[in-house]
Amino acid sequence: MGTMMLGLVLFAATGSLDTGTFYVAKNGSDDPRNGSQLRPWATITYAVAQAPDGSTILVRPGTYQGRVRLERKFVKGIVVRSELPYRAVLRSHQQVVFCYACEGITLEGFDIAHDGDGAGAIVVQIDGGGGTGARNVVIRNNVLHDSFNNDVLKINNGARNVLVQGNVFYNQAGSDEHIDINSVEHVAVEDNVFFNDFAGSQRPLPAQTASFVVIKDSNDDDDGILGSRDVAIRRNVFLGWQGNRAFGFILVGEDGKPYYEAKDVMVENNLLLGDASADMRSPFGVKGCQGTVFRNNTVIGDLPGSAFAARINREGQNKPGDQIAFYNNVWADPTGTMGDLTDTLRGDVGAFVLSHNLYWNGGGAIPFGTDDAVNYTADRGRVVADPGLAAPRGIAAPRWVADKGTFADGSRSIDDVRRSLVDRFARPSAGSALVDRADPGNAPTDDIRGEKRGRAPDIGAFEVDDKPVRAAATQARSTGRRR
């Protein structure tokens, strides 16, 4: 999986090297002689069709109505960026952004949403064209929100090498998702913030929305891919659950297919917050998939529902889940109301590993299900102790407030939103039982902030930098001996 991610990072770097900078503005005109700072184009669709490979397209503030079509293939890559973050607003009564078999495009810094009830399906779609394209696409630092029909972002139909990085997602529609990752390979979703806040958008609470992120394959091998594979979900923050009680934050597999709907999925260094009162099935679920690793995640708060940690089950024609591993995670309910831990029947899972996780139920007993195939007692490296984490309460849904030019928590950037939540709820207190207790052979090399982990990594998403403290203690002991 590391090779795929390196490729995405390299593309993201080369895609930002300008061979020219072009402009789009509300007062522009789509004429081939235009595109300059003084004579901008009027639409992103036209700019992408005209700009040379390797260019940067800057979009000036304003609301741009209508569908944006990204249908070119670039070798060097182009960057389409809001000149001022989140001030170029993309709205449509149909799909807002459609990338059909496009290649080498980075979309960055926009506020993107449907314009109201009755909109066409999906806000942003990256469609692989049945495996003919949609490669090397980056969706970065956007406010993606308020679908009134289906998903906020759909990546499907044979798309490959897609990076979704540093965005905010909120308010999908119907029984759909923030991100539907469907029949694809080499996809990374990292450093994003996911939540729902329907009241903040003056929308009724639908209560039937599905998972925030789903990874699956709905179309067999029609696009040359049978089962999504090589997908990483890492360093994200999930909060504000308002969905259907049958779903949760992250779900791998959904459609009851007879084949593994996903293979080789890595879910690591995420912060999952139980700050809402709505029931969920489980924060993490696996249905008929193979090779899924859930490691160094921090799940903290009151998560009312059927399973506090994970649910592994089958639907329809699913095979039993196989090669499912849980390493170095925090599962902590400070309220002491943890339900089942996994809610997994014996016939629904094959090989699984449970190792070096921390369990805390507010001082009460950790649930043990006599009918469950996966219980905490199978974890020989388990830690049962208070992790020293703040309970997630009083969180302002960090939606973008355009009139103020800030997010609702006062942050001015998405990165600030994420870092603030991480610092408040993922950072352990001094002397935490998490420190140095992880399995080093199955820990990522970094933490949720991108900081390096040492030879003795911590359990959970956050790596405590305790080396200065240790050095001071060692020096004090040494000084004492010299006396």
Side-chain angles (χ1 to χ4, degrees):
M1 191 170 276
T3 301
M4 181 274 289
M5 297 310 158
L6 179 61
L8 284 170
V9 171
L10 286 177
F11 164 72
T14 57
S16 64
L17 296 176
D18 298 353
T19 58
T21 300
F22 300 87
Y23 292 83
V24 171
K26 291 292 296 177
N27 63 349
S29 175
D30 285 342
D31 184 296
R33 296 167 295 180
N34 292 350
S36 67
Q37 192 169 10
L38 296 178
R39 298 178 61 181
W41 288 313
T43 67
I44 296 171
T45 299
Y46 189 86
V48 169
Q50 295 293 318
D53 197 354
S55 301
T56 294
I57 298 168
L58 296 180
V59 183
R60 290 180 174 155
T63 298
Y64 297 81
Q65 190 73 30
R67 179 183 286 187
V68 174
R69 304 185 71 94
L70 309 174
E71 297 182 351
R72 276 185 71 188
K73 297 183 179 182
F74 297 92
V75 176
K76 297 178 182 177
I78 66 164
V79 175
V80 184
R81 179 185 297 136
S82 175
E83 188 175 39
L84 297 177
Y86 328 126
R87 294 296 190 174
V89 178
L90 308 184
R91 295 290 186 269
S92 178
H93 204 58
Q94 52 185 331
Q95 195 174 61
V96 186
V97 178
F98 186 42
C99 159
Y100 183 80
C102 70
E103 295 186 15
I105 296 179
T106 295
L107 190 70
E108 184 174 338
F110 293 92
D111 172 350
I112 311 175
H114 280 147
D115 62 7
D117 283 327
I122 308 172
V123 175
V124 177
Q125 184 170 5
I126 302 169
D127 187 318
T132 64
R135 292 171 172 82
N136 298 333
V137 178
V138 179
I139 306 295
R140 179 185 291 128
N141 192 32
N142 302 284
V143 180
L144 297 156
H145 64 106
D146 285 296
S147 172
F148 284 81
N149 184 346
N150 211 282
D151 307 312
V152 176
L153 170 62
K154 190 179 190 74
I155 308 168
N156 72 316
N157 200 21
R160 292 172 169 86
N161 295 345
V162 178
L163 176 61
V164 182
Q165 184 181 59
N167 307 278
V168 158
F169 289 84
Y170 54 94
N171 298 352
Q172 72 271 50
S175 57
D176 290 289
E177 295 83 25
H178 288 170
I179 307 181
D180 181 358
I181 300 170
N182 195 331
S183 196
V184 300
E185 63 180 9
H186 312 323
V187 173
V189 177
E190 60 185 40
D191 304 323
N192 304 282
V193 179
F194 299 88
F195 64 94
N196 274 345
D197 178 21
F198 289 98
S201 297
Q202 291 78 53
R203 297 174 62 180
L205 183 65
Q208 80 267 18
T209 51
S211 304
F212 284 0
V213 178
V214 67
I215 305 160
K216 63 181 182 179
D217 187 339
S218 301
N219 69 350
D220 298 1
D221 61 353
D222 292 352
D223 50 24
I225 295 174
L226 186 65
S228 287
R229 53 185 179 261
D230 199 5
V231 177
I233 311 295
R234 61 191 180 199
R235 301 194 304 266
N236 306 286
V237 179
F238 298 82
L239 70 155
W241 177 255
Q242 296 181 341
N244 188 308
R245 63 185 304 166
F247 298 95
F249 289 135
I250 304 168
L251 180 60
V252 186
E254 187 179 46
D255 290 340
K257 296 292 187 177
Y259 49 86
Y260 291 121
E261 291 185 41
K263 299 178 182 179
D264 301 326
V265 175
M266 178 65 74
V267 181
E268 64 182 13
N269 283 332
N270 299 286
L271 175 62
L272 296 82
L273 297 175
D275 66 317
S277 59
D279 286 1
M280 68 165 59
R281 198 67 173 85
S282 182
F284 178 68
V286 179
K287 297 176 185 285
C289 295
Q290 184 181 57
T292 298
V293 177
F294 189 81
R295 67 180 186 178
N296 284 90
N297 301 285
T298 295
V299 183
I300 174 73
D302 184 8
L303 289 161
S306 300
F308 189 88
R311 186 188 188 214
I312 307 170
N313 72 311
R314 290 187 292 169
E315 289 187 1
Q317 303 177 68
N318 278 161
K319 299 178 180 181
D322 191 37
Q323 300 172 33
I324 314 299
F326 300 91
Y327 301 108
N328 308 329
N329 301 289
V330 176
W331 288 304
D333 183 352
T335 69
T337 59
M338 191 181 285
D340 269 3
L341 193 70
T342 66
D343 194 19
T344 299
L345 298 177
R346 288 181 173 83
D348 288 351
V349 62
F352 74 90
V353 176
L354 199 65
S355 177
H356 288 78
N357 302 284
L358 181 141
Y359 309 84
W360 179 246
N361 191 23
I366 307 303
F368 182 93
T370 56
D371 295 330
D372 290 340
V374 182
N375 277 296
Y376 80 102
T377 51
D379 187 342
R380 295 185 178 181
R382 64 183 178 270
V383 177
V384 181
D386 186 345
L389 296 170
R393 301 189 185 100
I395 303 175
R399 61 184 301 112
W400 171 243
V401 185
D403 292 345
K404 295 183 178 179
T406 68
F407 291 86
D409 67 345
S411 297
R412 294 192 174 275
S413 72
I414 294 171
D415 186 59
D416 287 345
V417 170
R418 190 180 67 88
R419 288 181 178 274
S420 174
L421 290 167
V422 167
D423 197 59
R424 287 174 65 188
F425 301 112
R427 181 190 294 272
S429 60
S432 170
L434 301 173
V435 176
D436 296 349
R437 303 288 290 276
D439 174 4
N442 288 291
T445 58
D446 63 359
D447 76 347
I448 192 169
R449 302 162 300 163
E451 299 292 335
K452 295 297 182 183
R453 295 183 185 268
R455 294 181 180 179
D458 300 342
I459 296 174
F462 195 103
E463 185 72 16
V464 176
D465 183 8
D466 57 345
K467 294 179 181 62
V469 175
R470 290 179 181 174
T474 301
Q475 183 177 4
R477 287 194 297 270
S478 176
T479 302
R481 284 195 296 269
R482 284 198 298 270
R483 288 175 185 168

